[in-house]
Amino acid sequence: MLDLTPDEWTAVALSLRVAGVAMLASLLPGLAVAWLLARRDFPGRALLDGLVHLPLILPPVVTGYLLLLAFGRKGLLGGWLAEIGIVFAFRWTGAALACAVMGFPLMVRAMRLSIEAVDRGLEQAAATLGAPPLAVFLTVTLPLSLPGILAGAVLAFAKAMGEFGATITFVSNIPGETQTLPSAIYTLTQVPGGEGGALRLTLISVVLSMGALLASEWLARRVGRRLAA
Amino acid sequence: MSGPAPTLSVALARCLGAFSLDVAFTAGPGLTALFGRSGSGKTSVIGLLAGLGRPDRGRIALGDEVLLDTARGIDVPAHRRRIATVFQEARLLPHLSVRANLGYGRFFARRHPGPAADLAQVVEMLGIGHLLARRPAGLSGGERQRVAIGRALLARPRLLLMDEPLAALDEARKAEILPYIERLRDEAGVPIVYVSHAVAEVARLAGTVVVLEEGRVAASGPADAVLRRADRLPAHAGEAGAILDLTVAAQDPDGGLTRLSGPAGTLVVPHLARPVGARVRVRVPARDVLVATRAPVGLSARNVLPGRILALDARGAAVMVEIACNGVALAAHLTGASVRDLGLAPGLPVYAIIKSVAFDPTEVGTRAVEI
């Protein structure tokens, strides 16, 4: 049953790489945005909040198309980035970018909630003891919200594993380069005799997603326990 | 400690919805109590002093260093003020051990001039040596508060703020911590601003009292002068009383009584577990003092002090009588009718009668070292 063809293995490996890179690359920006939204009041806060959540509400095809307009070879940023050697269009890096953008709201939401759950009194106490703001974040806010931050990262990874619409619109469906698990399953369902392969990849997809979800749930429960203590 | 403790001078104004705060006071060395009911603005003042909020207008200076001056656009952030705070709920960092909590402020104080704070000495003073390896979650309320005090001290602050550090504790825990705060006041050399709504605590600890009422300073001055006068404690008029600094003169071996002596005379109180010669501070509530114009006979009360009436202050049906007993002032709460019947007037020689049960041993503090 799990005798995957080399092409199917390629899709699985590519998906893991794309999701991993998407998750790792959005970790720091996600944390920064989550902290800003949780702890700072600034002009444009509502705008940032809306912008972060936009990919959650827009049709994924629209998000993918917007990415194409911005980061395509002749796009607003794409042309300029290509000059310094960074190309997203029709590359696996583009798939990672699409997955990162789609997973960003989920990641920020989980991180923001866990940062908001940290008692501000503790942060204030640290400040009165002489800790500058960055030290307060690293020694108080970060360790106390760590389980929620990890949960957000896992959630973004799981989302990236399943991302389809924005990815296929932005970087197409090129085997070995941009054909992730969902794209491969979609392709297999479109060709005669592909049902076996589609079923195998579906099974793998279900197992990976369930694993990520369980990990995320487990981390969320740990947060709850810590806050109740 | 380097040099004499600087004087804190404060002037703050802030409007928050219907509540407006407008206070000005100074606090010298020793312990200054910010005293008032909940909602009187005490905690707001502490937050503004610590730099955790910003007033509409105001100035805060510690010695000649200005920490806040809204007119000149100066607002030193909390972490650079070197004003440590002991909060009501201790606020220990839950993910760190007691040792790491103590080390926290010490780490950030490492660049301050002068010698590093002595961890061993602070641990010994607060009696927390056996807690070092534990987590805050496993500590009792009293232990937590002692660790919080130690943590604040090790940050080597120039001023220590204590925001009702005993309010969340039961009587036994309060009695456990009060002696440590007294040692802190007398030994640490850091001026303390101490917020409380409990007269007993303030009377025991404070050298200076600032009374807050609805966001305004209702009275301020030396503790004995402020706490004796009901007119300076509008919200606590019933709790006004004199503060006497006395010495244990003798222990009555069988009666379970202790004799205390001072300039005002000798007082007999229920047994106090203090050695002869120990200095104690007691509070004599005005409502527990009676006044007689002749030396009383056949009376169960043991404490009769001769003196002269200093002043009378009518407040509705009640009259606050101030009596000078050999240079020490006592206060008595009498009815207007009694004052008329006895013909009390300033200068009249009288006897102040104090019920010995008026002394609450748990309220007895060691006397503050005179500065």
Side-chain angles (χ1 to χ4, degrees):
Chain A
M1 173 75 202
L2 275 175
D3 285 339
L4 298 184
T5 64
D7 283 355
E8 291 165 6
W9 271 120
T10 306
V12 171
L14 182 70
S15 264
L16 288 171
R17 176 161 51 142
V18 163
V21 167
M23 186 258 273
L24 290 175
S26 43
L27 212 49
L28 281 181
L31 203 51
V33 170
W35 181 81
L36 277 175
L37 292 175
R39 285 293 191 250
R40 282 286 178 271
D41 212 3
F42 53 94
R45 190 172 176 279
L47 188 70
L48 179 66
D49 197 12
L51 218 57
V52 165
H53 281 93
L54 212 53
L56 210 58
I57 330 155
L58 283 179
V61 179
V62 172
T63 304
Y65 189 60
L66 288 172
L67 285 172
L68 193 61
L69 290 180
F71 292 100
R73 281 195 187 285
K74 297 192 176 86
L76 292 168
L77 298 167
W80 178 74
L81 284 171
E83 278 178 28
I84 57 169
I86 301 173
V87 179
F88 287 112
F90 307 110
R91 298 279 179 85
W92 73 269
T93 47
L97 176 65
C99 289
V101 168
M102 293 302 286
F104 202 64
L106 298 173
M107 179 185 264
V108 167
R109 199 172 175 75
M111 289 179 174
R112 176 184 172 176
L113 287 175
S114 68
I115 290 173
E116 279 172 351
V118 174
D119 181 0
R120 296 188 91 144
L122 295 175
E123 297 174 344
Q124 293 179 338
T128 64
L129 291 168
L134 182 65
V136 172
F137 177 77
L138 292 176
T139 60
V140 180
T141 320
L142 190 65
L144 288 177
S145 56
L146 197 58
I149 287 168
L150 293 176
V154 172
L155 211 58
F157 180 83
K159 171 70 188 170
M161 286 297 293
E163 216 300 306
F164 176 66
T167 309
I168 205 164
T169 313
F170 181 32
V171 293
S172 186
N173 186 0
I174 307 161
E177 185 68 42
T178 65
Q179 191 177 69
T180 56
L181 256 180
S183 312
I185 295 170
Y186 172 74
T187 307
L188 286 169
T189 58
Q190 301 300 305
V191 296
E195 290 86 352
L199 204 60
R200 283 195 292 277
L201 291 183
T202 301
L203 202 68
I204 289 174
S205 186
V206 168
V207 169
L208 289 174
S209 301
M210 276 302 285
L213 198 66
L214 287 176
S216 164
E217 278 292 312
W218 179 73
L219 289 170
R221 259 207 312 280
R222 283 201 53 187
V223 181
R225 263 216 303 278
R226 189 182 283 229
L227 293 178
Chain B
M1 291 295 147
S2 50
T7 298
L8 171 77
S9 62
V10 182
L12 296 165
R14 185 193 211 182
C15 263
L16 266 183
F19 180 77
S20 83
L21 183 77
D22 193 347
V23 297
F25 62 91
T26 60
L31 191 145
T32 301
L34 280 184
F35 174 64
R37 272 197 293 216
S38 50
S40 59
K42 309 184 297 288
T43 295
S44 305
V45 172
I46 288 291
L48 294 174
L49 283 178
L52 301 175
R54 193 187 291 244
D56 301 331
R57 283 173 291 112
R59 188 172 185 281
I60 299 171
L62 200 52
D64 43 14
E65 189 182 342
V66 177
L67 299 176
L68 174 90
D69 191 337
T70 48
R72 286 161 57 198
I74 299 172
D75 184 6
V76 177
H79 65 279
R80 286 207 222 106
R81 288 197 180 189
R82 291 190 62 192
I83 297 180
T85 308
V86 177
F87 298 93
Q88 186 177 333
E89 341 74 274
R91 300 198 190 174
L92 299 180
L93 300 175
H95 56 298
L96 301 178
S97 68
V98 167
R99 187 189 296 277
N101 266 284
L102 290 172
Y104 195 86
R106 202 162 178 255
F107 175 79
F108 293 105
R110 71 195 184 286
R111 283 187 301 266
H112 297 331
D118 187 346
L119 179 71
Q121 188 192 336
V122 169
V123 164
E124 190 274 328
M125 180 170 90
L126 294 165
I128 49 180
H130 60 296
L131 306 173
L132 290 177
R134 304 212 349 228
R135 290 280 177 132
L139 305 184
S140 74
E143 289 169 339
R144 259 179 237 186
Q145 220 43 284
R146 270 148 63 197
V147 173
I149 292 169
R151 181 177 72 166
L153 272 185
L154 288 166
R156 289 203 290 139
R158 293 176 298 187
L159 174 69
L160 185 61
L161 307 176
M162 303 183 89
D163 186 7
E164 306 226 19
L166 306 183
L169 307 176
D170 58 39
E171 290 305 321
R173 295 284 86 73
K174 280 183 193 172
E176 165 197 326
I177 293 187
L178 275 165
Y180 292 110
I181 297 179
E182 286 172 337
R183 283 186 75 178
L184 190 65
R185 174 195 65 194
D186 300 338
E187 294 173 17
V190 182
I192 301 171
V193 173
Y194 187 100
V195 160
S196 180
H197 65 266
V199 173
E201 249 172 75
V202 172
R204 176 166 172 170
L205 297 170
T208 308
V209 176
V210 177
V211 183
L212 290 186
E213 287 281 329
E214 297 180 350
R216 303 288 184 277
V217 174
S220 70
D224 58 339
V226 172
L227 295 180
R228 200 171 64 231
R229 299 273 303 266
D231 57 329
R232 296 186 179 169
L233 303 168
H236 297 266
E239 293 177 85
I243 295 173
L244 303 181
D245 287 327
L246 304 167
T247 306
V248 176
Q251 297 283 7
D252 187 349
D254 42 67
L257 298 173
T258 299
R259 277 171 196 284
L260 304 174
S261 71
T266 299
L267 296 181
V268 178
V269 299
H271 179 71
L272 262 181
R274 300 283 176 98
V276 171
R279 301 198 295 178
V280 297
R281 177 185 254 198
V282 295
R283 197 169 69 86
V284 183
R287 58 167 188 268
D288 289 337
V289 177
L290 311 175
V291 175
T293 49
R294 271 172 300 192
V297 287
L299 191 73
S300 69
R302 290 167 176 276
N303 296 310
V304 180
L305 300 177
R308 236 168 238 286
I309 291 187
L310 206 56
L312 297 168
D313 176 31
R315 300 178 58 78
V319 180
M320 199 71 182
V321 183
E322 276 200 274
I323 305 155
C325 302
N326 195 22
V328 178
L330 278 180
H333 237 165
L334 303 182
T335 62
S338 310
V339 170
R340 264 196 315 280
D341 292 351
L342 291 171
L344 299 184
L348 188 75
V350 290
Y351 294 88
I353 302 161
I354 305 160
K355 294 179 276 180
S356 61
V357 290
F359 295 87
D360 175 359
T362 63
E363 280 186 17
V364 179
T366 61
R367 181 155 56 180
V369 171
E370 296 299 328
I371 308 152

